[in-house]
Amino acid sequence: MGDRLFGRLDAVRAWQGLADASVNYSADEVRRPAWNIDVHHTPLPAEPPGPPTPGGPWTHACRLVRDYEFSPPEIVRALYDPAAPLLGRDMLLEARFHGLRFYCGVRVTEVVDETRDGTDRVWGWAYETLDGHLERGKVTYEVVKNGRTGAVEFLVTCHSQGAPTLDPLVSLGWRLFGRRTQLRFYRRCGERMRRFVETALRGHPVPLRPARRVGGLVYAPSDAGTHRLDTLAVHRLSPG
């Protein structure tokens, strides 16, 4: 079933190839207007003030972030090794757009586990794009609890631009549709996170089914179903 999700691509081999890839940009390049710099806030159900409540919204949201369950499967799916440490984990992303499948690598380069401003509890992680990705940049996913008010939010911060190595056809498509799809991805991440946290607080398990596996790897989110036409889709594996 995992092979069908990733069509005729040898997904495991493509994921293995990420080990030799490097981050495809330098942080000192990042500046407007050449780069998009985004911050997206999604309010989640609140908790009482103070440290995170066991079994509360913050805890549920952290688990969803850890497992990449918030990603909208109609836009982005991921293949990774759940046994690998989070920091340094390679992920093969499948970006889906109107019958096209683009396979790109990212690597988790930061794990956030800290208290800010004396009271705000923050947990999350960030990945950066690897050689051959359609984009260059970094996305950070965090769950933040304000210890003074009890407010909980899902925070996504990103800096990105289209990769200069794109071929002319893909570059044109990126200029026409890339930014719109990117913003839709962030919006859908927030919608799914809020819905899943609310579902978990009602006592229903999230995810609803076990993660599917491709060999020793899993793909996320776990509700990313397959379709009989997936194997007919046009695929493009970004060159490394």
Side-chain angles (χ1 to χ4, degrees):
M1 186 173 294
D3 289 340
R4 287 195 62 197
L5 170 66
F6 286 90
R8 294 185 176 89
L9 175 76
D10 187 337
V12 174
R13 180 172 297 180
W15 173 84
Q16 291 171 339
L18 299 179
D20 296 324
S22 300
V23 172
N24 64 354
Y25 80 103
S26 173
D28 59 16
E29 300 177 68
V30 179
R31 60 179 62 84
R32 290 189 173 101
W35 289 70
N36 296 311
I37 300 177
D38 299 303
V39 180
H40 300 268
H41 301 264
T42 301
L44 301 176
E47 300 183 356
T53 303
W58 189 86
T59 300
H60 285 301
C62 288
R63 178 176 56 82
L64 292 164
V65 168
R66 180 197 67 200
D67 296 338
Y68 206 62
E69 288 290 343
F70 58 85
S71 182
E74 74 276 12
I75 303 176
V76 176
R77 307 175 184 197
L79 183 70
Y80 66 92
D81 179 3
L86 180 56
L87 185 62
R89 175 179 292 172
D90 288 335
M91 303 173 68
L92 179 67
L93 302 187
E94 180 197 54
R96 303 163 69 91
F97 181 78
H98 292 299
L100 296 174
R101 307 289 185 262
F102 297 91
Y103 298 93
C104 308
V106 296
R107 179 170 297 136
V108 177
T109 56
E110 181 181 4
V111 175
V112 181
D113 187 359
E114 63 187 24
T115 300
R116 296 176 185 164
D117 300 327
T119 61
D120 294 354
R121 189 72 178 89
V122 185
W123 189 89
W125 51 270
Y127 57 51
E128 293 184 272
T129 53
L130 301 178
D131 296 328
H133 201 292
L134 297 173
E135 298 180 69
R136 302 199 303 162
K138 178 179 181 179
V139 187
T140 304
Y141 303 105
E142 297 175 320
V143 185
V144 183
K145 176 177 181 180
N146 187 313
R148 297 178 298 279
T149 67
V152 180
E153 70 171 359
F154 177 44
L155 177 64
V156 181
T157 56
C158 176
H159 54 257
S160 65
Q161 66 170 196
T165 55
L166 297 180
D167 62 57
L169 181 60
V170 176
S171 181
L172 175 62
W174 178 260
R175 290 197 300 271
L176 293 175
F177 304 109
R179 181 61 173 162
R180 185 188 313 170
T181 302
Q182 186 182 48
L183 294 175
R184 177 170 165 254
F185 171 76
Y186 297 141
R187 183 180 71 251
R188 288 284 293 123
C189 285
E191 291 170 352
R192 282 171 59 86
M193 175 62 79
R194 183 167 51 241
R195 175 164 58 88
F196 286 166
V197 169
E198 291 171 349
T199 297
L201 291 174
R202 291 195 295 268
H204 301 294
V206 177
L208 299 177
R209 60 176 71 113
R212 293 182 175 87
R213 292 184 174 268
V214 182
L217 309 179
V218 300
Y219 68 82
S222 57
D223 62 342
T226 60
H227 191 279
R228 61 187 178 84
L229 296 180
D230 276 353
T231 55
L232 302 179
V234 177
H235 295 80
R236 181 182 187 276
L237 180 63
S238 298

